[in-house]
Coordinates of all heavy atoms in Angstrom, one line a residue:
L1 N 1.0 4.1 -5.1 CA 2.1 4.7 -4.3 C 3.1 3.5 -4.1 O 2.7 2.4 -3.8 CB 1.6 5.0 -2.9 CG 2.7 5.2 -1.8 CD1 3.3 6.5 -2.0 CD2 2.1 5.0 -0.5
C2 N 4.4 3.9 -4.3 CA 5.5 2.9 -4.1 C 6.6 3.5 -3.2 O 6.8 4.7 -3.3 CB 6.1 2.4 -5.4 SG 4.9 1.5 -6.5
F3 N 7.2 2.7 -2.4 CA 8.5 3.1 -1.8 C 9.5 2.1 -2.0 O 9.2 0.9 -1.8 CB 8.3 3.6 -0.3 CG 7.4 2.7 0.5 CD1 8.0 1.8 1.4 CD2 6.1 2.9 0.6 CE1 7.2 1.0 2.2 CE2 5.3 2.1 1.4 CZ 5.9 1.2 2.2
K4 N 10.7 2.5 -2.4 CA 11.8 1.6 -2.7 C 12.8 2.0 -1.6 O 13.3 3.1 -1.5 CB 12.4 1.8 -4.1 CG 13.4 0.9 -4.4 CD 13.9 1.1 -5.9 CE 14.8 0.0 -6.2 NZ 15.2 0.1 -7.7
A5 N 13.1 1.0 -0.7 CA 14.0 1.3 0.4 C 14.9 0.1 0.6 O 14.6 -1.0 0.3 CB 13.2 1.6 1.7
T6 N 16.1 0.4 1.2 CA 16.9 -0.6 1.8 C 16.6 -0.7 3.2 O 16.6 0.3 4.0 CB 18.4 -0.2 1.6 OG1 18.7 -0.1 0.2 CG2 19.3 -1.3 2.1
W7 N 16.3 -1.9 3.6 CA 15.9 -2.2 5.0 C 17.1 -2.8 5.8 O 17.8 -3.7 5.2 CB 14.7 -3.1 5.1 CG 13.5 -2.4 4.7 CD1 13.0 -2.3 3.4 CD2 12.6 -1.7 5.5 NE1 11.9 -1.5 3.4 CE2 11.6 -1.1 4.7 CE3 12.5 -1.4 6.9 CZ2 10.5 -0.4 5.2 CZ3 11.5 -0.7 7.4 CH2 10.5 -0.2 6.5
Y8 N 17.4 -2.3 6.9 CA 18.5 -2.7 7.8 C 18.0 -3.4 9.0 O 17.1 -2.9 9.7 CB 19.4 -1.6 8.1 CG 20.0 -0.9 7.0 CD1 19.3 0.1 6.2 CD2 21.3 -1.2 6.5 CE1 19.8 0.7 5.1 CE2 21.8 -0.6 5.4 CZ 21.1 0.4 4.7 OH 21.7 1.0 3.6
A9 N 18.6 -4.6 9.3 CA 18.3 -5.3 10.5 C 19.6 -5.7 11.1 O 20.7 -5.5 10.6 CB 17.4 -6.5 10.2
K10 N 19.5 -6.4 12.3 CA 20.7 -6.8 13.0 C 21.6 -7.7 12.1 O 22.8 -7.7 12.2 CB 20.2 -7.5 14.3 CG 21.3 -7.8 15.3 CD 20.7 -8.4 16.5 CE 21.7 -8.5 17.6 NZ 21.2 -9.0 18.9
T11 N 20.9 -8.5 11.3 CA 21.6 -9.5 10.5 C 22.1 -9.0 9.1 O 22.7 -9.7 8.4 CB 20.7 -10.7 10.2 OG1 19.5 -10.3 9.6 CG2 20.4 -11.4 11.5
G12 N 21.8 -7.7 8.8 CA 22.3 -7.2 7.5 C 21.2 -6.3 6.9 O 20.4 -5.7 7.6
N13 N 21.2 -6.2 5.5 CA 20.3 -5.3 4.8 C 19.8 -6.0 3.5 O 20.5 -6.8 3.0 CB 20.9 -3.9 4.6 CG 22.1 -4.0 3.7 OD1 21.9 -4.1 2.5 ND2 23.3 -3.8 4.3
A14 N 18.7 -5.5 3.0 CA 18.2 -5.9 1.8 C 17.2 -4.9 1.2 O 16.5 -4.2 1.9 CB 17.4 -7.2 2.0
P15 N 17.3 -4.7 -0.1 CA 16.3 -3.8 -0.8 C 14.9 -4.4 -0.9 O 14.8 -5.6 -1.0 CB 17.0 -3.6 -2.2 CG 17.7 -4.9 -2.4 CD 18.1 -5.4 -1.1
A16 N 14.0 -3.5 -0.9 CA 12.6 -3.9 -1.1 C 11.8 -2.8 -1.8 O 12.0 -1.6 -1.6 CB 11.9 -4.2 0.2
L17 N 10.9 -3.2 -2.7 CA 10.0 -2.3 -3.3 C 8.6 -2.7 -2.8 O 8.1 -3.8 -2.9 CB 10.0 -2.4 -4.8 CG 9.0 -1.6 -5.6 CD1 9.2 -0.1 -5.4 CD2 9.1 -2.0 -7.1
T18 N 7.8 -1.7 -2.2 CA 6.5 -2.0 -1.7 C 5.6 -1.0 -2.4 O 5.8 0.2 -2.5 CB 6.5 -1.7 -0.2 OG1 7.5 -2.6 0.4 CG2 5.1 -2.0 0.4
C19 N 4.4 -1.5 -2.9 CA 3.5 -0.6 -3.6 C 2.0 -0.9 -3.1 O 1.7 -2.0 -2.7 CB 3.5 -0.9 -5.1 SG 5.1 -0.5 -5.9
F20 N 1.3 0.2 -3.2 CA -0.2 0.1 -2.8 C -1.0 0.8 -3.9 O -0.6 1.9 -4.4 CB -0.4 0.9 -1.5 CG 0.1 0.3 -0.3 CD1 1.4 0.5 0.1 CD2 -0.6 -0.6 0.5 CE1 2.0 -0.1 1.2 CE2 -0.1 -1.2 1.6 CZ 1.2 -0.9 2.0
S21 N -2.0 0.2 -4.4 CA -2.9 0.8 -5.3 C -4.1 1.4 -4.6 O -4.5 1.0 -3.5 CB -3.5 -0.3 -6.3 OG -2.4 -0.7 -7.2
H22 N -4.7 2.5 -5.3 CA -5.8 3.2 -4.7 C -6.8 3.4 -5.8 O -6.5 3.8 -6.9 CB -5.3 4.6 -4.3 CG -4.2 4.6 -3.2 ND1 -2.9 4.3 -3.5 CD2 -4.3 4.7 -1.9 CE1 -2.2 4.3 -2.4 NE2 -3.0 4.5 -1.4
R23 N -8.1 3.3 -5.4 CA -9.2 3.5 -6.3 C -10.3 4.2 -5.5 O -10.4 4.1 -4.3 CB -9.8 2.1 -6.8 CG -8.8 1.4 -7.7 CD -9.3 0.1 -8.2 NE -10.4 0.3 -9.2 CZ -10.2 0.5 -10.5 NH1 -9.0 0.4 -11.0 NH2 -11.2 0.6 -11.3
R24 N -11.2 4.9 -6.2 CA -12.3 5.6 -5.6 C -13.6 5.1 -6.1 O -13.8 4.9 -7.3 CB -12.2 7.1 -5.9 CG -13.3 7.9 -5.3 CD -13.3 9.4 -5.7 NE -12.0 10.0 -5.7 CZ -11.4 10.6 -4.6 NH1 -12.1 10.6 -3.5 NH2 -10.3 11.2 -4.7
R25 N -14.6 5.0 -5.2 CA -16.0 4.7 -5.5 C -16.8 5.6 -4.6 O -16.8 5.4 -3.4 CB -16.4 3.3 -5.4 CG -17.8 3.0 -5.8 CD -18.2 1.6 -5.7 NE -18.3 1.2 -4.2 CZ -18.1 0.0 -3.7 NH1 -17.8 -1.0 -4.5 NH2 -18.2 -0.2 -2.5
G26 N -17.4 6.6 -5.2 CA -18.2 7.5 -4.4 C -17.3 8.3 -3.4 O -16.3 8.9 -3.8
N27 N -17.7 8.2 -2.1 CA -16.9 8.9 -1.1 C -15.9 8.0 -0.4 O -15.5 8.3 0.7 CB -17.9 9.5 -0.1 CG -18.6 8.5 0.7 OD1 -18.6 7.3 0.4 ND2 -19.3 8.9 1.8
V28 N -15.6 6.9 -1.0 CA -14.6 6.0 -0.4 C -13.4 5.8 -1.3 O -13.6 5.5 -2.5 CB -15.3 4.6 -0.1 CG1 -14.3 3.6 0.5 CG2 -16.5 4.7 0.8
I29 N -12.2 5.9 -0.7 CA -11.0 5.5 -1.4 C -10.6 4.1 -0.8 O -10.6 3.9 0.4 CB -9.9 6.5 -1.1 CG1 -10.2 7.9 -1.8 CG2 -8.5 6.0 -1.7 CD1 -9.2 9.0 -1.5
F30 N -10.4 3.2 -1.8 CA -10.0 1.8 -1.4 C -8.5 1.7 -1.6 O -7.9 2.4 -2.5 CB -10.7 0.8 -2.3 CG -12.2 0.7 -2.0 CD1 -13.1 1.6 -2.7 CD2 -12.7 -0.2 -1.1 CE1 -14.4 1.5 -2.4 CE2 -14.0 -0.2 -0.8 CZ -14.9 0.6 -1.5
Q31 N -7.8 0.8 -0.9 CA -6.4 0.6 -1.0 C -6.2 -0.9 -1.0 O -6.9 -1.7 -0.5 CB -5.6 1.2 0.2 CG -4.1 1.1 0.1 CD -3.4 1.6 1.3 OE1 -3.5 0.9 2.3 NE2 -2.8 2.7 1.2
K32 N -5.1 -1.3 -1.7 CA -4.7 -2.7 -1.8 C -3.2 -2.7 -1.9 O -2.5 -2.0 -2.7 CB -5.3 -3.3 -3.1 CG -4.7 -4.7 -3.4 CD -5.1 -5.1 -4.8 CE -4.3 -6.3 -5.2 NZ -4.4 -6.8 -6.5
R33 N -2.6 -3.6 -1.1 CA -1.1 -3.8 -1.2 C -0.9 -4.7 -2.4 O -1.5 -5.7 -2.6 CB -0.6 -4.5 0.0 CG 0.9 -4.8 -0.2 CD 1.6 -4.9 1.1 NE 3.0 -5.2 0.8 CZ 3.8 -5.7 1.6 NH1 3.4 -6.0 2.9 NH2 5.0 -6.0 1.3
E34 N 0.1 -4.3 -3.2 CA 0.4 -5.0 -4.5 C 1.5 -6.0 -4.2 O 2.3 -5.8 -3.3 CB 0.9 -4.0 -5.6 CG -0.2 -3.1 -6.1 CD -1.3 -3.8 -6.8 OE1 -1.2 -5.0 -7.1 OE2 -2.4 -3.2 -7.0
P35 N 1.5 -7.2 -4.8 CA 0.5 -7.5 -5.9 C -0.6 -8.4 -5.4 O -1.6 -8.5 -6.1 CB 1.4 -8.4 -6.8 CG 2.4 -9.1 -5.9 CD 2.6 -8.1 -4.8
N36 N -0.6 -8.9 -4.2 CA -1.5 -9.9 -3.7 C -2.5 -9.5 -2.6 O -3.1 -10.4 -2.0 CB -0.8 -11.2 -3.4 CG 0.0 -11.8 -4.5 OD1 -0.5 -11.8 -5.6 ND2 1.2 -12.2 -4.3
G37 N -2.5 -8.3 -2.2 CA -3.4 -7.9 -1.1 C -4.8 -7.8 -1.5 O -5.2 -8.0 -2.7
D38 N -5.7 -7.6 -0.6 CA -7.1 -7.5 -0.8 C -7.5 -6.0 -0.7 O -6.9 -5.2 0.1 CB -7.9 -8.2 0.3 CG -7.8 -9.7 0.1 OD1 -7.7 -10.2 -1.0 OD2 -7.8 -10.4 1.2
W39 N -8.5 -5.6 -1.4 CA -9.0 -4.2 -1.4 C -9.7 -4.0 -0.1 O -10.4 -4.9 0.4 CB -9.9 -4.0 -2.6 CG -9.2 -3.9 -3.9 CD1 -9.1 -4.9 -4.8 CD2 -8.5 -2.8 -4.4 NE1 -8.4 -4.4 -5.9 CE2 -8.0 -3.1 -5.6 CE3 -8.2 -1.5 -3.9 CZ2 -7.2 -2.3 -6.4 CZ3 -7.5 -0.6 -4.7 CH2 -7.0 -1.0 -5.9
Y40 N -9.5 -2.9 0.5 CA -10.2 -2.5 1.8 C -10.5 -1.0 1.8 O -9.7 -0.2 1.1 CB -9.5 -2.9 3.0 CG -8.1 -2.3 3.2 CD1 -7.9 -1.1 3.9 CD2 -7.0 -2.9 2.7 CE1 -6.7 -0.5 4.0 CE2 -5.7 -2.3 2.8 CZ -5.6 -1.1 3.5 OH -4.4 -0.6 3.6
P41 N -11.5 -0.5 2.5 CA -11.8 0.9 2.6 C -10.6 1.6 3.3 O -10.2 1.2 4.4 CB -13.0 1.0 3.4 CG -13.6 -0.3 3.4 CD -12.5 -1.3 3.2
F42 N -10.0 2.6 2.7 CA -8.8 3.3 3.2 C -9.2 4.6 3.8 O -8.7 5.0 4.8 CB -7.8 3.4 2.1 CG -6.6 4.1 2.4 CD1 -5.6 3.6 3.3 CD2 -6.3 5.3 1.8 CE1 -4.5 4.3 3.6 CE2 -5.1 6.0 2.0 CZ -4.2 5.5 2.9
K43 N -10.0 5.4 3.0 CA -10.4 6.7 3.5 C -11.8 7.0 3.0 O -12.1 6.8 1.9 CB -9.4 7.8 2.8 CG -9.7 9.2 3.2 CD -8.7 10.1 2.6 CE -9.0 11.5 3.2 NZ -9.0 12.6 2.2
T44 N -12.6 7.5 4.0 CA -14.0 7.8 3.6 C -14.2 9.3 3.9 O -13.5 9.9 4.7 CB -15.0 7.0 4.5 OG1 -14.7 7.2 5.9 CG2 -14.8 5.5 4.2
T45 N -15.2 9.8 3.2 CA -15.6 11.2 3.5 C -17.1 11.2 3.7 O -17.9 10.7 2.8 CB -15.3 12.1 2.2 OG1 -13.9 12.0 2.0 CG2 -15.6 13.5 2.5
P46 N -17.6 11.6 4.9 CA -16.8 12.1 6.0 C -16.0 10.9 6.6 O -16.3 9.7 6.5 CB -17.8 12.6 7.0 CG -19.1 11.9 6.6 CD -19.0 11.6 5.2

């Protein structure tokens, strides 16, 4: 999943691309912020 947005703050604006990867093992979906994040359990069933 990626979102490309222009972010606005009091001092101005800047574009940014943010992405997250997703993987499944059994009943757990893991997520990681790209490029340097760590994998963590994101969604479990139940």
Side-chain angles (χ1 to χ4, degrees):
L1 162 80
C2 297
F3 44 96
K4 186 175 186 175
T6 300
W7 289 87
Y8 297 85
K10 194 175 188 178
T11 56
N13 65 73
L17 174 65
T18 304
C19 296
F20 292 87
S21 288
H22 300 79
R23 295 182 70 91
R24 178 187 316 275
R25 182 179 70 207
N27 66 348
V28 179
I29 294 175
F30 293 88
Q31 184 186 71
K32 171 191 166 186
R33 175 150 179 204
E34 293 296 346
N36 298 318
D38 289 325
W39 289 100
Y40 61 89
F42 176 68
K43 182 180 187 225
T44 58
T45 304

